Amino acid sequence: QMSLVESGGGLVQPGGSLRLSCATSGIILRIWNMAWYRQASGKQREFVASIYTDNSTSYADFVKGRFTISRDNAKNMVYLQMNSLKPEDTAVYYCNTPSEWARQGVWGQGTQVTVSS
């Protein structure tokens, strides 16, 4: 079964940076498209960024120019470099495949990112 473990979140001031990591297992990562999502308190989960098997990427408008998604297939890892953080970025961040059917209902615990002065 697929397993996803997010880490790297924390408390950071506006304008600061964090690097999130997603450790995957139970899949051959190189043949999986992957993405980051976030969910703020009381709000729906939303798409943040995706990276495809050919290493092309896609970003939500609200993070373009600030966040960078990457992957290391040999290490089964997916990353999200987050720069110029804003209070609106405060949320629990999750990694997963963008394919709903491929998720098989599996989500990790997420990692909390709090941007506050």
Side-chain angles (χ1 to χ4, degrees):
Q1 185 183 32
M2 176 176 64
S3 179
L4 305 164
V5 180
E6 300 93 343
S7 63
L11 175 63
V12 64
Q13 294 184 354
S17 297
L18 286 172
R19 189 192 193 211
L20 306 185
S21 297
C22 172
T24 74
S25 61
I27 63 172
I28 302 173
L29 185 60
R30 63 176 172 83
I31 62 172
W32 283 62
N33 299 323
M34 293 297 292
W36 285 93
Y37 302 85
R38 69 188 189 187
Q39 186 169 26
S41 294
K43 297 187 177 181
Q44 298 272 62
R45 182 182 291 119
E46 63 183 351
F47 167 80
V48 174
S50 58
I51 184 164
Y52 304 97
T53 55
D54 65 354
N55 270 329
S56 61
T57 57
S58 183
Y59 297 92
D61 286 344
F62 51 81
V63 304
K64 283 183 178 177
R66 301 189 298 124
F67 292 8
T68 303
I69 188 171
S70 62
R71 64 196 294 159
D72 186 336
N73 294 328
K75 296 180 179 179
N76 268 37
M77 297 290 292
V78 184
Y79 305 99
L80 185 68
Q81 179 65 47
M82 310 166 68
N83 299 325
S84 302
L85 283 161
K86 305 174 181 180
E88 310 93 89
D89 296 320
T90 296
V92 178
Y93 284 71
Y94 302 88
C95 65
N96 215 325
T97 174
S99 172
E100 183 177 351
W101 69 265
R103 293 175 193 157
Q104 297 285 294
V106 175
W107 290 88
Q109 84 288 350
T111 186
Q112 176 71 51
V113 172
T114 302
V115 184
S116 177
S117 58

